[in-house]
Every structure is written in structure tokens, then in C-alpha cells.
């Protein structure tokens, strides 16, 4: 059966010609920022990928099709749409079947990228084990996806609102390589150092690309998490942003915020509590991840040549 994939001409040509392509998620557009900042940020990330030698492929579901790359008109429509589904492995097929509009999380973007033949994906931060998961069992579907889908994901670690030690434990149990880029510490999204040591460290895009290719040669399922620290000039140290995170978490619990609504609520409250600094840092780290992802994608192309 033919897959329900729609490619922009730019992405289709790059894949056909064996040029590097970087997948980008769309929940950051629909659930992460207001319009028009969301569309402006998305275009800036796409431009950063292009500036470093790769073709960006922002992924979203529209009209019963998985769109691999978005036209300017489609990106504008997504940025202003209401009632957009937030898609993970559980509801990707349902969204397509219903003809709904959906934005892809890390897990759904990995699935769609792999279907399209894209091996590298840049995002902000991955989901993980939520605080209090010992009673709520709230664990992001992003984590098991890394054990299933062969895509290298470049992120600034896991979101700092999460239980980072437990997130690393789950990734280890799933057999997922967690690679800190250029440092030993596992980064914490807005902060360069979570206080935890990453299981692996690599210092070049070429090493990361070689590991991705080697996993395929060995027949190992799943992908890699590349934890790329936010640039030093843009970070909010953990001791500064920590109180805002704790306040937002307490408010979420008091208001009974749960499931897929937790992360958007927390990010919005932390934006307010930090007077917008968290959003500035978020944009800086996504751009930084786009740069590294483009470099890794280029190295994979060279290795496969």
C-alpha cells in the first residue's frame, strides 16, 4: 500500500539526490509559541538548517496526509490553526484516518521521518519521565520510540520540568545511546548542566554520524539521542530557573493539569515567571540543535557515498 506521504519539491529532490535532510517537529509551532512568533521561529530554524548545508523538512499531518516539508502557506495555516491534535505513536494513524490536522511530537516526528527516509531530526527537548511518575505513571511515549525507530535526534537534553535521573534510567533500560555533545554533563534544556553525567560523550558530528551508520550495520533497532547543550550566552542556569519550574509544577498539580496538557501549561507558566527569558533560550537552543543536526546529516551522506 502506498504510504500517505506528501513531500515538498525541495525535500523530494534532496532525498532523490542523496543530499542531507533534517526533520523538524511541528508541536513547537502549534503548542509551544503564539502566532506569529511560532511561524517566525519555525522559519528561522529552517533557515539555520539550510545555512549549514542541509534541507529542512518540517513534518505535520494535514488533510489525511503526512507532510514532509511545509510550504509557506501550509506553515502559516498550521501556525494559526485551532484544535490541532498533538500526535504521538498512539494517535498518528487515527488523525490521518479522521482527516484532522495534527502536529508531531518527538515520537511521531521520528516515525514520519523514518517512513520518509530521513535519518536526523532536530528538536528543542525530548519528553521523558514526569515528576511524580511513581504514582501518576506519566512517562512520555518519546522514550520507547528511541528503541524502535532508527533516527538520530538532536535535542538540548530532556525538558528540565521532568525527572531527569529517571528519564536517563528509562533510556538506559531501552538500550538508547545518550550522547552528550562536547561535554560530559547531560544538559537540562535551558541549562547546560543538569548535574548528571551523560552515559556517552562525542565531540564531533562525524563521530555521531559514524555511530548511527554502525548501528544500522549491526542490525540494532532504534535511534540515538544527542544531548546538545544550549549556547553558554543563552542559558539560564539551573539555580536561576529552578524556582520558576517548582512554582509551575505546584500550580499544575493544584489545578489538576494532566496528560498531554502538562508540558504546554508548564512552559507557558515558566515563560511568564521568567519574564520571557525561557522563550528566548528555547529559540536559541533549537537553532543550535538545527546547526548540529545539519552537520550530522551531512556526515551521514558522506559516509554512505
Amino acid at each position: 500500500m502506498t504510504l500517505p506521504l506528501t513531500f515538498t519539491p525541495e525535500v523530494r529532490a534532496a532525498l532523490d539526490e542523496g543530499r542531507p535532510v533534517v526533520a523538524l517537529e511541528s508541536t513547537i509551532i502549534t503548542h509551544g509559541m503564539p502566532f506569529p512568533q511560532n511561524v517566525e521561529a519555525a522559519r528561522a530554524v529552517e533557515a539555520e538548517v539550510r545555512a549549514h548545508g542541509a534541507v529542512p523538512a518540517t513534518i505535520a499531518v494535514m488533510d489525511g496526509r503526512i507532510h514532509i516539508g511545509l510550504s509557506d502557506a501550509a506553515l502559516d495555516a498550521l501556525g494559526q490553526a485551532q484544535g490541532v491534535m498533538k500526535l504521538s505513536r498512539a494517535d498518528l494513524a487515527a488523525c490521518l484516518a479522521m482527516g484532522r490536522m495534527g502536529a508531531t511530537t518527538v515520537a511521531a516526528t521520528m516515525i514520519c521521518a523514518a517512513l520518509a527516509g530521513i535519518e536526523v531530526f532536530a528538536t528543542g527537548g525530548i519528553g521523558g519521565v514526569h515528576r511524580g511518575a511513581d504514582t501518576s505513571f506519566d512517562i512520555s511515549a518519546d522514550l520507547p520510540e528511541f528503541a524502535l525507530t532508527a533516527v538520530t535526534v538532536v535535542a538540548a537534553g530532556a525538558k528540565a520540568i521532568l525527572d531527569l535521573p529517571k528519564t536517563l534510567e528509562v533510556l538506559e533500560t531501552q538500550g538508547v545511546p545518550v550522547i552528550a555533545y562536547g561535554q560530559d554533563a547531560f544538559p537540562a534544556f535551558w541549562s547546560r548542566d543538569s548535574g548528571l553525567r551523560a552515559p556517552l560523550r562525542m565531540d564531533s558530528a562525524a563521530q555521531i554520524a559514524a555511530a548511527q551508520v554502525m548501528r544500522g550495520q549491526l542490525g540494532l533497532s532504534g535511534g540515538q539521542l544527542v544531548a546538545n547543550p544550549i549556547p553558554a550566552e543563552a542559558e539560564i542556569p539551573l539555580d536561576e530557573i529552578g524556582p520558576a519550574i517548582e512554582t509551575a509544577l505546584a500550580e499544575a498539580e493544584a489545578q489538576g493539569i494532566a496528560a498531554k496538557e502538562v508540558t504546554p501549561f508548564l512552559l507557558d507558566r515558566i515563560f511568564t515567571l521568567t519574564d520571557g527569558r525561557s522563550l528566548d533560550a528555547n529559540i536559541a537552543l533549537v537553532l543550535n540543535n538545527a546547526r548540529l543536526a545539519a552537520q550530522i546529516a551531512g556526515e551521514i551522506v558522506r559516509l554512505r557515498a
Side-chain angles (χ1 to χ4, degrees):
M1 188 178 72
T2 303
L3 290 169
L5 302 178
T6 296
F7 295 82
T8 59
E10 180 188 26
V11 174
R12 182 70 271 168
L15 291 170
D16 288 345
E17 295 164 12
R19 293 186 281 119
V21 178
V22 172
L24 301 170
E25 64 156 287
S26 47
T27 49
I28 195 170
I29 300 168
T30 58
H31 294 77
M33 302 177 197
F35 181 82
Q37 291 97 324
N38 55 354
V39 172
E40 292 167 356
R43 289 200 171 109
V45 174
E46 290 188 344
E48 200 69 19
V49 171
R50 289 190 184 95
H52 289 81
V55 170
T58 301
I59 295 175
V61 171
M62 297 177 173
D63 302 318
R65 306 282 297 178
I66 298 170
H67 287 255
I68 310 297
L70 298 178
S71 67
D72 284 343
L75 186 56
D76 280 331
L78 183 68
Q80 298 177 73
Q82 301 297 313
V84 179
M85 292 179 69
K86 184 179 178 184
L87 303 178
S88 193
R89 173 172 281 270
D91 35 27
L92 175 60
C95 181
L96 287 162
M98 293 187 291
R100 294 274 304 276
M101 182 178 286
T104 54
T105 61
V106 168
T109 306
M110 290 177 73
I111 293 167
C112 296
L115 290 173
I118 300 170
E119 297 186 74
V120 183
F121 160 35
T123 186
I126 66 163
V129 179
H130 281 263
R131 301 188 195 193
D134 49 335
T135 55
S136 70
F137 291 87
D138 191 351
I139 301 173
S140 171
D142 292 352
L143 300 186
E145 199 60 50
F146 276 94
L148 297 170
T149 304
V151 174
T152 288
V153 180
V154 182
K159 295 182 177 72
I161 56 179
L162 302 169
D163 187 324
L164 297 184
K166 288 186 176 66
T167 296
L168 286 173
E169 287 293 341
V170 171
L171 288 167
E172 180 184 26
T173 300
Q174 298 283 348
V176 178
V178 178
I179 304 162
Y181 180 68
Q183 64 179 37
D184 295 323
F186 184 70
F189 200 59
W190 297 293
S191 311
R192 291 177 61 83
D193 188 346
S194 65
L196 302 169
R197 187 182 180 91
L200 296 165
R201 170 179 175 163
M202 292 186 182
D203 295 322
S204 72
Q207 288 180 326
I208 297 165
Q212 166 86 354
V213 171
M214 181 60 70
R215 287 180 64 81
Q217 292 172 346
L218 296 175
L220 298 175
S221 63
Q224 306 184 120
L225 172 60
V226 179
N228 185 30
I230 183 173
E233 66 274 10
E235 84 160 323
I236 308 175
L238 211 51
D239 59 353
E240 290 184 34
I241 200 161
I245 294 171
E246 296 302 326
T247 298
L249 286 164
E251 291 176 359
E253 184 175 2
Q255 295 179 38
I257 307 295
K260 289 188 177 184
E261 303 307 316
V262 173
T263 298
F265 174 86
L266 293 175
L267 294 179
D268 181 65
R269 288 299 298 134
I270 292 166
F271 169 80
T272 301
L273 292 165
T274 60
D275 295 322
R277 283 182 70 198
S278 64
L279 180 57
D280 293 338
N282 195 348
I283 293 170
L285 66 85
V286 174
L287 291 171
N288 192 44
N289 295 341
R291 287 190 285 272
L292 179 56
Q295 293 163 8
I296 295 168
E299 292 293 343
I300 289 175
V301 166
R302 278 186 277 279
L303 285 169
R304 296 201 190 282

